[in-house]
Amino acid sequence: MTAMTRILIRHEAILGILFVVVLIAMASQNDRFLTTANLLNQARLMTEVGLIAIPMTFVIVTGGIDLSVGSILGLCAILLGVFWQNLGLPLPAAIGLSLAAGTAAGFANGLIVTRFRVPPLIATLATLALYRGLAEGISQARSVRGYPDWFAVLGRGDFLGIPTQLWLFALVAALGIFILRFTTFGRTTYAIGNNEAAAEFSGLPVERTKLLIYTASGFISALAAIVFVSRVSTTRSDMGSGIELEVITAVVLGGTSIFGGRGMVIGTLIGLCLMQILQNGLSLSGVRGDGTTVVIGAVLIVAVLISNLLSRFSSD
Amino acid sequence: MTPILELKNISKAFGPVKVLTGVDFDLRPGEVHALMGENGAGKSTMIRIAAGDHRAEEGEIRLDGKPRRFAGPREAQGEGIIVVHQELLLFPALSVAENVFLGHQPKTAAGLVDWGRMRREARDLLDRLDCPNLDVDQRVSRLSVADRQRVEIARALSRNARVLIMDEPTAALAEADVRRLLEVVRRLRSEGVAIVYVSHRMNEIFEIADRVTVLRDGVSVGTRPIAEVTEASLVSMMVGRDIHQLFPKEDIPRGEKRLELRGVSLAGVVEDISFDLHAGEILGIAGLVGSGRTELAQTIFGVTPATSGEILVDGKPQKIASVREAIDAGIAYVPEDRGSHGIIRAQPLRENVSMAILDRLTKFSVVDTGREQSLATDAIKRFSIRARDARQRVGQLSGGNQQKVVLAKWLATEPKILILDEPTRGVDVGAKTEIHRLMGELAKKGLAILMISSELPEVLGMSDRVLVMREGRLSAIVDRKDASPAAVGAAMMQGRREPARAGAAR
């Protein structure tokens, strides 16, 4: 097999082609779709899911899962409002504290998974409920509004003609690509997903790596909370509920194996964009929200099927 | 006598790679036909064609003299051709009886599983295999490897096997269990079952086989009655050259003390072990499966840190609480279970070779892929690993080549002390000799080697001293000049409990 065909039958390449096809199809359906304004706006809307999808790619590559990201987002959003309005802290301090809280929540997930050896699915299913419950308890069903104008720049403003949060997302994504692909940390992540025992027998820091990954997942979820609050300029306790499923869908659509050991951040990015343009394009064409969900589900299955078929063909 | 199963002029290729070319093979009822050859010689492919897993591109399969095509393994199983795989394909969470009858459970009139009959029939099958102690309600996950194998054989018999293909059945067994397995094979033969027996172990072949076929590079070198071959002639058939000495053991002057254990224990598993290991020395550890050999090795290597006692490296007490600390102290460990502890199948050769020294191959924690690549290509050359290139996934290599990858990975750490746990298990004769030669070379360079092996000839042939373990304790240390099979065997067995139990207690 030539190097060219080997690249072409990669899941990421297939997904890229699928992305272009969908892009063209959507553009031909509706002339409001392929405009700079619309695309930039879509990019703005997908930033929160996108941010969390980066550490989630790491989590899933290790063979784990983090279901609590949506609840961490909600908790951190609430804490931001409470620190700022109810405790009267300056907003930058409230942001800092909220980020710290998200990091601690992720760290707790990591501890439960590594120290107490609870399967990640169970551990984060439990903290999903726990963190969301905390958020609701703290908020007492009140929302916080009236954030200062400078704060709205992050979620609604532009920098050099591009939505501010997109710069932040680009930075996180670039960091993710770099770490997973080029560093010992990334190598260890893959090794854990493929054969955790062998990684341990090779003296790789398995526990520390997993702990760091879950902690990063918490931190980035908090970051996404800040972006989210800034974009909608209000805080509610149900923020980000269900976002974990969108995130996981993007990661898996992007070719990361749910069994671990395989996946790339690039794939996650393409999967994410594909989901977003499908949603947007379909709604512009007048398809209702539930119809869009059906289409995304179908695309996920088709993409995974094609990829499985081709990998069977390539491995023999 | 018409052969039960006959392969005629079989050829098979995977893409551009020809695996079998014009192979003939025939199997008569009531015979044990040994199939030998180095790893990669095409044995597994041939087995898979016979069992309907693969289809041959050329040639034909005859069953009872009539040409037959198998559309899949199910059809072959229907004809009573059953494979007992090297990696046992059992379901650990199910009971012995459930495993035996999985897929063809006896049913009651109402179409439900007839548990009573299933348990009774499983019991009968196991009695036929002479293992009255095996409980049919026991979960398979709690059985020893030897017992699991019996379950697998019982499963084959439950499907009325006429042809039983056993792929390296003794690779994971200790001497005593091998005896019992050979007994079972004899019994099946006398019942008229035709058996294809794949093994690298010469003494078993001579003990059990009626005829032997040797494959080399996808071609059959010949089929001979066992009486017409010798160990040496078989080896030369397999590798295509003479191997004068099976164990190229050299006399190397003993250097300074590298490793010393003083009363090392791992609570409940390994008790009070003391010995020393010198540079240039190969210290063999003999013992039955379950005697604590691997557990001792993993204690020294920090996988399961010692609960008491002292480990001294180069005369200085060394705290080894993790694998990392052991590696930093200059200890390397080539594990017994290559698949789950040694290699990462899905990752390329070069990433496997660099795995234990990743921290040394980095600049600001970025992996230096250039150095990694040259490390891997050097390893391929130095250990003559048969791989397409450094990017090939390790899972695609043969057992012997995988083992060389693991050796390359650990020698890259430049250890002072090398622990080899079953270094030649599941490895073909050619690679085995290469590994033995390599051990000699390394010892000559001043490495201190601790070698665990279930193969007594290997232990006796390679070691300067033999340390014998029994039930987690050191039962004897025997010098090379006094090390006879009888002396070491006696120290292994002395006052042992019933064999199956010692295995199950693991």
Side-chain angles (χ1 to χ4, degrees), chain A residues 3 6 178 182-185 187-188 190-192 194-205 261 314-316, chain B residues 298 301 303 323-324 327 333 339-341 343-344 346-347 351 354-356 358 362 365-367 372 391 396 409-410:
Chain A
R6 212 176 312 160
F178 176 77
F182 297 108
T183 66
T184 48
F185 189 88
R187 195 60 76 69
T188 308
Y190 283 114
I192 293 172
N194 278 315
N195 188 343
E196 189 166 330
E200 228 154 307
F201 271 75
S202 304
L204 295 178
S314 71
S315 64
D316 253 351
Chain B
Q298 296 190 353
F301 192 57
V303 178
V323 172
R324 194 70 253 167
I327 295 174
Y333 172 62
S340 37
H341 300 147
I343 52 165
I344 297 188
Q347 281 175 232
E351 294 185 8
S354 67
M355 192 144 290
L358 220 43
T362 53
S365 105
V366 176
V367 180
E372 182 177 55
R391 282 197 318 225
Q396 296 174 335
K409 159 180 159 182
W410 285 109

Side-chain angles (χ1 to χ4, degrees), chain B residues 87 197 224 270 354 408 422 439 448 471 497:
Chain B
E87 277 139 17
Y197 193 91
R224 308 273 155 78
V270 174
S354 67
E422 304 284 3
M439 284 169 66
E471 292 171 359
R497 290 171 306 195

Side-chain angles (χ1 to χ4, degrees), chain B residues 1 14 41 56 80 92 110 155 169 195 224 239 272 313 329 345 429 434:
Chain B
M1 192 170 14
F14 292 112
R155 182 158 144 191
I195 293 157
R224 308 273 155 78
V239 297
D272 191 25
V313 176
R345 288 169 187 281
V429 175
E434 280 174 61

